[in-house]
Amino acid sequence: MKAIVLTCDRYRVLTDHMLHTYQSMWPGNPFQFIVPYQEYPTGLKEKYGDKIKPLQTPKEIMPTMQRLFETFGDDEWIYWCIDDKYVIWIDSERAHRIHDWVVTITNPMVRSVTFCRCRQSLNPGFLDMDVPYTSPDGQVLYEKMVDSEPWVHQFL
């Protein structure tokens, strides 16, 4: 699965740290991290090999985002991961099961799936707690009532 890394050249140390946490906490993760650049990230490519795909983009954010999204199909699931957020713990077996389930979702009403809740998502009213959904492996999931927390790593 392709994973968009929202980053820029001057934050390459953050990108490296984020990639490192995925490789150490979830070494079998299914992602190929698409890393935008203006100056080729030789060190990252040497360190992570085929786990990253450098993509030359303009310096400005809007054209960069357009270029990143050009690499995906309209109905393709992607993983969104901004570089200043990173994994501190993950149940890698459960994460694999969630990934395997996400790629089978065809319901257009399901727009995102995330592993965590933080900040606003902890507030009452953020989730519809009355209508839980159970994934095929028994994981209880809830629908977001508020479309916020765009910077959290998530399947989109």
Side-chain angles (χ1 to χ4, degrees), residues 9-139:
D9 289 354
R10 71 178 172 181
Y11 297 133
R12 196 62 66 221
V13 67
L14 296 176
T15 308
D16 184 21
H17 178 68
M18 186 270 296
L19 293 168
H20 173 78
T21 64
Y22 271 94
Q23 290 309 103
S24 63
M25 302 281 180
W26 187 8
N29 74 72
F31 305 126
Q32 181 181 42
F33 296 92
I34 312 299
V35 178
Y37 74 90
Q38 289 79 55
E39 201 172 300
Y40 191 84
T42 304
L44 290 181
K45 191 62 179 165
E46 289 171 357
K47 189 172 183 179
Y48 300 104
D50 291 338
K51 287 301 287 182
I52 72 161
K53 179 182 177 184
L55 182 69
Q56 190 166 22
T57 62
K59 194 171 188 172
E60 299 79 19
I61 186 68
M62 289 302 290
T64 292
M65 294 306 298
Q66 289 171 336
R67 178 74 178 99
L68 286 165
F69 285 122
E70 287 172 359
T71 65
F72 303 99
D74 289 342
D75 295 325
E76 184 176 359
W77 279 96
I78 62 170
Y79 191 71
W80 171 263
C81 49
I82 189 166
D83 68 357
D84 66 349
K85 307 284 187 253
Y86 51 90
V87 179
I88 57 171
W89 179 86
I90 193 165
D91 179 335
S92 59
E93 288 181 30
R94 181 177 280 172
H96 269 299
R97 289 194 306 269
I98 290 172
H99 165 268
D100 292 347
W101 169 68
V102 163
V103 297
T104 68
I105 297 172
T106 57
N107 181 343
M109 297 303 291
V110 179
R111 299 177 306 192
S112 68
V113 175
T114 186
F115 293 117
C116 70
R117 290 179 60 196
C118 63
R119 295 188 182 109
Q120 290 183 24
S121 67
L122 296 170
N123 294 336
F126 186 86
L127 299 177
D128 182 353
M129 303 301 276
D130 295 329
V131 186
Y133 178 85
T134 305
S135 71
D137 74 334
Q139 182 68 41

